[in-house]
Amino acid sequence: MTKHHTLSTTARAALKALLPGTARRKKAIRPRSRLLSRPDYPRAGRQGWRRWVPSWRLVLTSFVTLSGLLATVVGVAYARTDIPKDLNAFATQQDTVYYWADGSPMARTGWVSRQEMPLSKIPEHVRWAVLAAENANFYSDYGVSAKGITRALWRTVGEGDTQGGSTITQQYVKNVYLSQDQSFSRKFTEMLLAVKLDRHVSKDKILEEYLNTSWFGRGTYGLQRASQAYYGKEVTQLNASEGAFLASLLKGASLYDPAVDPRNRERAVERWRWTLDRMVKIGKLSPAERARYTTFPEPKSPHEPNNAGVQDGYLVALAESYAKRAGHISDARFDLGGYQIYTTFEKPRMTALTRAVKDVRGTLDPQQRKADRHARFGAASVAPDGRILAVYGGPDFQKQAFNESNTGTVPAGSAFTPFVYAAGLEHGVSVERGSPRTPVTPSTPYDSDDGVPVMTPEGPYWDRSGKMVKAHNESNRSYGRLSLHDAMAQGVDSPFLQLGMDVGLDRIRRTAEASGLLPSSFGPPVPAFSMGNSTPSAIRMAGAYTTFAAHGLHTDPYSVRKVTRNGEPVRLARLRAGRAMTTAVADEVTAALSRSGKGKGSSGASSTVPFSGKSGTTEDLTAHWYVGYTPEESTAVVLYRMDLTKSLAPLPLKGLGGDSASGRTYPAEIWTTYMKAVTK
């Protein structure tokens, strides 16, 4: 038996050595047959429902694996996410606001109503009202909130809503970097950017930008514009109670602005109370201060914004041009907006001047009379210190941007002669070539007849066509010899054509330029220069006459007294008064042009207070002027015809208004109506 067993064992070993594959195959088959007969998946050794419960090892392994995978995905996404260099267009745009002389808003330009305000100028209690309502842990979080993320995921997955769960940093990121579409991918990008931004930008800077870019309803972005829209004040003047209401608007102005729906008021009051109580809870408002705010701070009713139409558009154009020039602001920089431009325009005077022009314009009938077509009225009122108080630029800026008060294509006519008179009194005359100059006084007599030849030291003056130049008066009337004072007082023109030649056209030009007329508006140096072949605008003409009102001192007209950008002042070029003529000369011109308070000036102008004034007409009857002034202001009115579709050349006024006067008295009528309104 033993031998047999030994042989048998040896044989089996030899057989196994010879056939190793067969043995392995048989051994491999046995476990497979065991699985088929007795399955142990998913958990071996468990029966019933316990077989299907994952083991803690499987759960832990799966959690670690998924966490690692998620961390890898987030890490790669974070590393590949850069803070965009460019903000959304709406985030960078600001409006520019123009103010009347009294500080009230006049007009706003720009696509959005937004003005940046440094965080230091936003009261701390207003900042904390927003933080209490939106993100009390703002200064301690990392740009995102774990609770907020959980809540947002729950809403997104469970309720199909992507709203909620955002920190202030996330809201800011959404406002300035991302679109407003509601998707999981956008929310994921928002969180990554928020974390990265929180690491690279200070909390104060993020809060400042958030408060300057958030939507508050009523067309406003940022706390500054919201403060003005809802309370009519600067953000620096808000108290905690008003700040708490504005903070509620961040949840949706359509839900909390009482002006949108009266039912909103109840929600607004509830949110306002909650915000104030929340401020107390986080230690940013004392109970004693909270007790002071028991009455809901009612916001004011909204008003339609003035977008620079009708007359205000002309004012905006003038102010913008001046602000750019005086503030050395480039067009590109100005287009970014954010400016506050405080003008010199006085609203009551604007209203009075506009009404006065409209009253006269309304008497014309362009449908029935061809001569009434293309009639234009320019008017401007300027103070002796240079402030432009009012202008009439045209019927409607939106329909015609051409400013009728600022055109440099209309001749001044005989309204220019006061500067000839002033130059004669200032510089004297020289009637013979090389002879010393002799003084001119108001009593110096001059030939005032119609048709008298204009003389030079060599004899009569001949124009290029070979025609002798002669002086003419209105209606071809002759007056004999008159003193210069009387000639000026009576509006006799012929003496001043000769006086201009005796004084010297270059000296007259210097006097007119020192008084504020632009060199670019001067006509050629021929005898007609003294009769107003220059083409000053109504604004410049009114400003030049202020030289007489200011006793010989002149300050260039200006339309802006102050400019700020987001509350910071912009330095403007300083205007200084310069002496254009002596006090005695200026006062004599005023005396010659003076009119009694109860009487009437030339062309029928009148006023309830003493004034000085001069009418003007061009020789070819293409313009009528009236310029009148008091110690407080100078107002110039010009009437002309011009077809802007063809050229800027003035058209004849003959037949205007349907009478032989051709509208000669219209400028004086406008001036009189305006002055009666502003001197009541």
Side-chain angles (χ1 to χ4, degrees), residues 15 52 59-60 77 89 121 172 211 218 229 243 255 284 321 339 400 443 473 486 497 503 572 583 638:
L15 182 62
W52 303 99
V59 171
L60 179 61
K121 292 191 175 183
Y172 170 66
L211 295 178
R218 297 193 182 182
L255 296 176
K284 298 303 177 181
S321 176
Y339 291 93
Q400 175 195 297
S443 60
N473 294 319
D486 290 343
L497 194 63
V503 173
L572 300 179
T583 299
V638 60

Side-chain angles (χ1 to χ4, degrees), residues 5-22:
H5 175 74
T6 302
L7 290 173
S8 178
T9 302
T10 303
R12 285 198 298 272
L15 182 62
K16 183 178 181 181
L18 291 172
L19 302 171
T22 303

Side-chain angles (χ1 to χ4, degrees), residues 97-106 234 341-343 345 561:
V97 181
Y98 297 79
Y99 298 89
W100 292 104
D102 64 2
S104 60
M106 180 182 76
E234 301 289 299
I341 299 179
Y342 298 86
T343 74
F345 306 123
R561 59 185 177 85

Side-chain angles (χ1 to χ4, degrees), residues 105-413:
M106 180 182 76
R108 175 175 63 82
T109 60
W111 291 105
V112 298
S113 177
R114 190 176 78 86
Q115 177 193 336
E116 292 186 358
M117 185 62 63
L119 189 66
S120 60
K121 292 191 175 183
I122 300 176
E124 189 172 359
H125 52 255
V126 176
R127 290 183 246 161
W128 277 105
V130 173
L131 291 175
E134 292 293 307
N135 188 181
N137 297 323
F138 170 73
Y139 279 100
S140 60
D141 66 30
Y142 294 98
V144 295
S145 164
K147 291 182 179 179
I149 292 175
T150 303
R151 184 166 61 251
L153 289 174
W154 173 256
R155 289 186 177 184
T156 301
V157 176
E159 303 178 17
D161 177 16
T162 56
Q163 299 283 349
S166 295
T167 63
I168 276 181
T169 307
Q170 287 176 260
Q171 293 179 51
Y172 170 66
V173 165
K174 181 179 67 174
N175 288 343
V176 303
Y177 294 127
L178 306 177
S179 66
Q180 299 298 312
D181 68 294
Q182 304 296 330
S183 64
F184 185 82
S185 61
R186 201 275 297 156
K187 192 72 176 179
F188 182 64
T189 304
E190 173 191 300
M191 289 187 289
L192 292 178
L193 276 174
V195 174
K196 179 156 286 191
L197 194 71
D198 189 80
R199 290 187 59 191
H200 292 85
V201 181
S202 71
K203 288 286 190 179
D204 280 350
K205 185 62 177 177
I206 294 173
L207 180 59
E208 176 184 294
E209 294 299 322
Y210 171 75
L211 295 178
N212 282 322
T213 55
S214 295
W215 168 253
F216 285 87
R218 297 193 182 182
T220 63
Y221 288 83
L223 264 177
Q224 169 70 351
R225 284 289 177 264
S227 176
Q228 294 170 337
Y230 289 92
Y231 291 110
K233 61 175 72 173
E234 301 289 299
V235 68
T236 55
Q237 300 171 309
L238 291 176
N239 58 37
S241 177
E242 294 161 336
F245 166 72
L246 293 181
S248 69
L249 299 171
L250 293 167
K251 289 295 183 185
S254 61
L255 296 176
Y256 294 97
D257 183 359
V260 175
D261 188 330
R263 292 172 294 182
N264 286 354
R265 189 181 185 282
E266 184 177 347
R267 281 191 291 266
V269 171
E270 181 181 355
R271 182 72 177 176
W272 165 74
R273 288 174 179 159
W274 178 87
T275 301
L276 290 176
D277 292 340
R278 178 74 169 158
M279 291 178 70
V280 174
K281 184 176 180 180
I282 64 176
K284 298 303 177 181
L285 188 68
S286 69
E289 290 176 306
R290 172 65 181 92
R292 288 164 38 198
Y293 303 125
T294 58
T295 303
F296 178 66
E298 296 285 353
K300 69 174 188 175
S301 299
H303 67 279
E304 291 296 323
N306 186 333
N307 287 316
V310 194
Q311 284 301 302
D312 293 351
Y314 301 109
L315 305 184
V316 166
L318 288 172
E320 177 183 327
S321 176
Y322 183 84
K324 288 179 180 178
R325 185 173 68 254
H328 303 288
I329 305 170
S330 67
D331 290 341
R333 181 168 177 78
F334 192 86
D335 287 345
L336 295 176
Y339 291 93
Q340 299 77 52
I341 299 179
Y342 298 86
T343 74
T344 61
F345 306 123
E346 297 184 3
K347 189 173 184 179
R349 294 179 184 273
M350 274 297 304
T351 301
L353 187 58
T354 302
R355 183 178 294 118
V357 176
K358 284 186 175 181
D359 287 348
V360 170
R361 188 189 284 271
T363 64
L364 301 180
D365 189 356
Q367 299 298 326
Q368 299 297 324
R369 288 190 297 267
K370 185 177 180 180
D372 288 0
R373 298 172 189 171
H374 312 300
R376 307 191 182 281
F377 297 82
S381 185
V382 180
D385 61 3
R387 289 174 294 123
I388 302 176
L389 305 176
V391 301
Y392 178 86
D396 188 338
F397 181 79
Q398 299 290 0
K399 298 177 181 179
Q400 175 195 297
F402 176 78
N403 190 334
E404 296 173 356
S405 71
N406 200 34
T407 178
T409 60
V410 182

Side-chain angles (χ1 to χ4, degrees), residues 361-611:
R361 188 189 284 271
T363 64
L364 301 180
D365 189 356
Q367 299 298 326
Q368 299 297 324
R369 288 190 297 267
K370 185 177 180 180
D372 288 0
R373 298 172 189 171
H374 312 300
R376 307 191 182 281
F377 297 82
S381 185
V382 180
D385 61 3
R387 289 174 294 123
I388 302 176
L389 305 176
V391 301
Y392 178 86
D396 188 338
F397 181 79
Q398 299 290 0
K399 298 177 181 179
Q400 175 195 297
F402 176 78
N403 190 334
E404 296 173 356
S405 71
N406 200 34
T407 178
T409 60
V410 182
S414 53
F416 185 82
T417 55
F419 303 104
V420 180
Y421 184 32
L425 296 173
E426 185 84 8
H427 301 291
V429 298
S430 176
V431 295
E432 295 181 6
R433 194 171 302 280
S435 64
R437 304 189 71 83
T438 59
V440 168
T441 68
S443 60
T444 299
Y446 262 77
D447 191 341
S448 302
D449 283 341
D450 183 72
V452 61
V454 176
M455 303 300 293
T456 69
E458 287 78 20
Y461 186 96
W462 300 83
D463 62 21
R464 291 185 177 181
S465 64
K467 184 178 179 181
M468 182 185 295
V469 176
K470 297 180 179 181
H472 294 282
N473 294 319
E474 187 176 341
S475 302
N476 298 322
R477 181 179 174 184
S478 294
Y479 295 84
R481 292 186 69 80
L482 286 177
S483 69
L484 289 175
H485 176 95
D486 290 343
M488 179 58 62
Q490 297 177 38
V492 181
D493 297 334
S494 60
F496 297 100
L497 194 63
Q498 183 61 57
L499 178 64
M501 299 301 292
D502 295 344
V503 173
L505 300 181
D506 57 335
R507 288 178 170 83
I508 296 172
R509 179 182 173 123
R510 288 202 298 269
T511 297
E513 184 176 345
S515 298
L517 298 187
L518 297 176
S520 58
S521 70
F522 290 140
V526 296
F529 185 83
S530 299
M531 285 287 93
N533 66 3
S534 300
T535 56
S537 66
I539 293 174
R540 282 288 168 176
M541 201 64 158
Y545 269 65
T546 63
T547 306
F548 307 132
H551 310 291
L553 291 175
H554 174 74
T555 304
D556 268 353
Y558 65 97
S559 56
V560 176
R561 59 185 177 85
K562 183 175 72 170
V563 176
T564 60
R565 189 169 194 271
N566 301 327
E568 297 298 324
V570 175
R571 186 175 181 179
L572 300 179
R574 293 185 61 184
L575 291 175
R576 293 182 174 87
R579 182 154 294 282
M581 60 192 70
T582 66
T583 299
V585 168
D587 290 349
E588 164 53 27
V589 175
T590 294
L593 298 178
S594 65
R595 305 290 183 255
S596 168
K598 296 182 180 180
K600 288 188 175 183
S602 58
S603 296
S606 65
S607 174
T608 56
V609 298
F611 69 99

